DNA sequence: CGACTTCTTCCACTCCCGGGACAAAGAGTC
DNA sequence: GACTCTTTGTCCCGGGAGTGGAAGAAGTCG
């Protein structure tokens, strides 16, 4: 069932919609303070938005000393679908027009099973959310995939960890199935947008968002906009060399960051440590589970296991080395570290900070916060919703 | 003598001025094809520009099959001053409104002599150019300095190689002395703008411009605009670590790129090679001149000296290592290498290319040209003129 | 209850802009 | 050289967008 969502007729209306999205319900007068339009003009545009149904009246606003104003808010029935496809799991969430998460599902699934199987699952999860009553239909969907994307077309290109996805028309296909507008982007970029919208990066124009999961990627935000590079592969820092003649990487080179530090590398190192008997804790966990993950390392470290701590510390140093270079080059106003292994938390952060503050130039690091993402697994889905809402809230 | 240059009254006029600057003289009709304005509107704006004197009529245009059109061109008396202050020399040039260089002077001078002495010299050079008849006054001046700049104010901040320049109000002071608008930027950024305006980077939106001089810097161009970072120090890649526990750098760290490869490092390596007797050629040059520079290495390499070639090859490898990382991160559409040691030319280029194509991901390098800058020492001054012309040709 | 403030609506006026009509100037053809 | 066709420049009209003032509605505060 196709749902015809109205679109703003001009840039002013788009601006107003985004203000209502980011700032919540607001009165006409307050909007007037923000947008620099004459009262009459503002009234006209608001009336048109009310006509389209994108905006509705919502009671009286608090008085500012005189006549009380009527509040405006985005249509409460608007729903966006945020989908974050990771290497080994899928997150699907439903948000309202203000991008508040109303329902969120997570299921393990290997992305290598291919686009058809994955999207079958995604659609099933979306149906489940609908059935739970949080949505009747969707006005747009944002999709994140763990690899480079040709953004305008919404098609993955040459994704290393996603065999079978190269060239699959994700945007086209899902737009058909869901009956609503769809945008596709790299999962890291979406995390960056999520942290910017609702997380630690609010009010920062230029920043970097490093996501450590199965691999490592970096979202680049410039002037509030995600920068994607010439072919859509910007931020692909997992294969920067951190050690000449270092470990062999799946990409064919030696010493890549990902080979030395990432969810996958950490798990392998931990298993090594367990088998060689260097860490009793890790050995016990290996015994119990049959395999180790980054989460096990995190737990062991929290329990005081020195080998686990050392692994994290060393990884943070590698990561810090790369980030230091990027900071010198890009001079961001903030660095956010997030992703699956954020559980490593402050041990990792301390190690990264030490390395960056030591290696980068003082001018670039003087006021540079390096922090953990605060949204965890919802960063991706919120970013996805944000992506598509930017699209829906822009004139066609 | 203050020269009051008119400014465009609106964005349309600015657009037209920049079109005339970049495309040369043009007829109304051709401009109409480019700007998507109605003929009436275009006529009005052109008339106003003619009134201000920024644009003048210039004979008849070639016929396109019907009535011939009158050509328009930017006022032939407009003059921009481009100043490129390097670590050890100063370039000053005068351009017309189309940014063609009408006169160019170069003098050796050490930037460490301080801003007052340097600008005295700059003003003298500007006077000399005036005296030679290429200009009567200046409608704007762009200044490049070898260090980070707080761009909006036009003030150098914490420049490592420019003691005494920190906080010196360059823009303010020169604007007073020259009696025209002045903009200040990092020399590397100006080189990037120069190569974009008149060099190899025409028609490329996102690219990197690596300048190798006494130090090493990198201009970052995104969507045709220079990116300067949060504090104006973006592109400062000279102190990215290329070797853990490598050579000591003036900045206090170990293994910085600049310590291993730059004009200064190359000269030092060459002297070592000469003294230790490994290279007869270099020894002879050292004997003759008393000291060696990057140019000597370049000349020796051209003459077939294997030690010099090896130095260049090794340096290119270091540089390529860093560029490979930046390419993965930034995914540019082009990489330009320029600066004083471009004389090292194709030996260096080959070495860099090898390293980048081997280390970066195929998706990022698939269509990535890595080339030498084609403007040489004029890139900086043209970029400076471009900077200020963008300012002058924008509505106030 | 009255003075003052804030918010909303209405309206007249201005300005911008697009497009059509027309004239001017050239090219090409016979 | 006359004629047609095309391109270019100019003029004018009408529609639409936007501004700011004024008046009215709905509050607060003393």
């Amino acid at each position: 069932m196709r749902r015809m969502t109205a679109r703003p007729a001009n840039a002013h209306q788009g601006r107003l919609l985004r203000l209502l999205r980011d700032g919540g319900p607001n009165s006409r007068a307050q909007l007037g303070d923000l947008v620099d339009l004459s009262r009459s003009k503002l009234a006209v545009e608001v009336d048109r938005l009310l006509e389209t149904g994108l905006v509705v009246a919502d009671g009286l606003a608090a008085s500012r000393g005189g006549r009380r104003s009527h509040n405006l808010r985005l249509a409460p029935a608007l729903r966006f679908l945020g989908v974050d496809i990771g290497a080994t799991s899928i997150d699907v969430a439903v948000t309202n027009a203000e991008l508040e998460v109303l329902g969120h599902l997570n299921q393990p699934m290997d992305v290598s099973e291919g686009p058809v199987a994955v999207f079958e699952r995604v659609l099933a999860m979306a149906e489940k959310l609908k059935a739970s009553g949080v949505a009747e239909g969707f006005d747009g969907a944002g999709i994140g995939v763990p690899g480079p994307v040709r953004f305008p077309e919404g098609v993955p290109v040459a994704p290393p960890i996603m065999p079978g996805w190269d060239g699959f028309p994700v945007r086209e296909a899902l737009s058909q199935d869901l009956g609503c507008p769809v945008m596709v982007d790299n999962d890291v970029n979406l995390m960056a947008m999520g942290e910017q919208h609702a997380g630690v990066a609010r009010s920062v124009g230029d920043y970097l968002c490093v996501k450590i999961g199965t691999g490592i990627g970096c979202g680049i935000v410039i002037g509030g906009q995600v920068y994607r590079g010439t072919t859509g592969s910007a931020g692909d820092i997992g294969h920067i060399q951190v050690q000449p003649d270092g470990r062999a990487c799946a990409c064919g080179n030696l010493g890549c960051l990902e080979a030395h530090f990432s969810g996958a590398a950490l798990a392998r190192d931990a298993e090594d440590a367990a088998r060689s008997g260097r860490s009793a804790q890790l050995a016990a966990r290996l015994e119990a589970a049959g395999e180790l993950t980054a989460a096990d390392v995190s737990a062991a470290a929290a329990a005081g296991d020195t080998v686990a701590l050392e692994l994290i510390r060393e990884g943070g140093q590698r990561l810090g080395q790369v980030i230091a270079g990027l900071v010198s080059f890009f001079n961001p106003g903030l660095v956010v570290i997030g992703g699956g292994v954020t559980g490593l938390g402050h041990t990792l952060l301390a190690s990264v900070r030490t390395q960056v503050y030591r290696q980068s130039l003082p001018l670039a690091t003087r006021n540079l916060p390096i922090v953990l993402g605060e949204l965890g697994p919802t960063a991706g889905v919120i970013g996805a919703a944000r992506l598509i809402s930017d699209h829906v809230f822009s004139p066609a």
Side-chain angles (χ1 to χ4, degrees), chain A:
Chain A
M1 181 197 70
R2 174 157 278 272
R3 192 170 154 126
M4 279 309 294
T5 311
R7 291 282 287 277
N10 58 42
H12 295 310
Q13 293 184 17
R15 177 93 193 280
L16 292 172
L17 290 173
R18 286 191 293 272
L19 278 173
L20 289 173
R21 177 192 66 188
D22 301 341
N26 233 326
S27 72
R28 283 166 146 86
Q30 278 172 302
L31 287 177
D33 294 344
L34 297 171
V35 294
D36 193 43
L37 291 175
S38 70
R39 295 184 313 272
S40 355
K41 171 75 173 155
L42 180 65
V44 170
E45 298 297 356
V46 167
D47 284 346
R48 287 186 190 154
L49 285 174
L50 286 168
E51 262 177 47
T52 65
L54 282 170
V55 168
V56 298
D58 181 46
L60 290 169
S63 168
R64 292 200 291 181
R67 171 174 176 177
R68 292 173 66 188
S69 179
H70 289 268
N71 254 343
L72 299 170
R73 61 170 298 183
L74 291 170
L78 284 176
R79 291 293 179 271
F80 294 121
L81 188 69
V83 178
D84 188 357
I85 297 169
T88 58
S89 73
I90 298 176
D91 280 272
V92 177
V94 172
T95 77
N96 60 11
E98 280 98 9
L99 309 191
E100 292 159 353
V101 175
L102 305 178
H104 186 171
L105 294 175
N106 174 294
Q107 291 187 6
M109 179 163 193
D110 208 303
V111 70
S112 62
E113 290 186 33
V116 177
V118 166
F119 287 128
E120 232 166 70
R121 182 77 73 87
V122 166
L123 291 173
M125 291 167 81
E127 281 305 320
K128 203 162 161 188
L129 284 166
K130 267 198 209 172
S132 76
V134 294
E136 304 202 333
F138 300 112
D139 302 280
I143 319 287
V145 297
V149 170
R150 204 159 55 229
F151 185 71
E153 293 93 16
V155 174
V157 276
I161 65 165
M162 301 158 64
W165 287 73
D166 190 8
F168 185 86
V170 175
R171 181 177 183 180
E172 184 66 23
L174 276 179
S175 180
Q176 290 269 330
D177 289 339
L178 289 167
C180 66
V182 170
M183 307 271 308
V184 185
D185 203 346
N186 185 312
D187 62 335
V188 184
N189 291 342
L190 293 189
M191 174 179 161
M193 294 183 76
E195 288 288 350
Q196 193 193 26
H197 181 83
V200 285
R202 278 178 298 246
S203 81
V204 181
D206 306 322
Y207 83 102
L208 297 181
C209 182
V210 178
K211 180 173 182 178
I212 305 156
T214 305
I216 290 191
C218 176
I220 307 168
V221 175
I222 298 173
Q225 302 282 334
V226 171
Y227 171 79
R228 300 187 172 84
T230 300
T231 57
S233 74
D236 214 332
I237 63 172
H239 301 279
I240 290 182
Q241 199 179 45
V242 289
Q243 183 163 344
D245 308 319
R247 292 190 192 170
C249 176
C251 76
N253 280 318
L254 299 178
C256 292
L257 173 59
E258 255 181 45
H260 286 268
F261 180 61
S262 65
L266 205 53
R268 208 176 45 222
D269 286 348
E271 292 192 11
D272 281 357
R275 294 228 172 73
S276 70
R278 274 179 293 138
S279 162
Q281 280 235 17
L282 288 173
R285 286 174 181 278
L286 178 58
E287 186 79 23
E291 63 171 5
L292 289 177
T293 68
D296 291 306
V297 181
S298 169
D305 184 274
T306 53
V307 172
L309 280 169
E310 181 56 25
L311 283 179
I312 297 173
R313 219 184 47 71
E314 214 173 88
Q317 210 170 318
R318 301 284 191 194
L319 181 59
Q321 192 179 330
V322 169
I323 294 181
L326 300 184
V327 165
S328 293
F329 172 73
F330 185 71
N331 186 18
L334 171 70
V335 174
V336 177
I337 296 178
V341 297
T342 324
L344 307 175
H346 291 277
T347 312
L348 177 67
L349 196 57
S351 179
V352 169
R353 279 183 179 151
T354 307
Q355 196 70 16
V356 172
Y357 291 140
R358 183 164 59 194
Q359 261 188 43
S360 295
L361 290 182
L363 183 58
T365 54
R366 193 184 291 163
N367 291 310
L368 177 68
I370 302 178
V371 299
L372 294 175
E374 66 183 25
L375 298 180
T378 57
V381 290
I382 291 179
R386 159 86 194 234
L387 175 69
I388 191 63
S389 78
D390 269 345
H391 175 74
V392 173
F393 291 161
S394 297

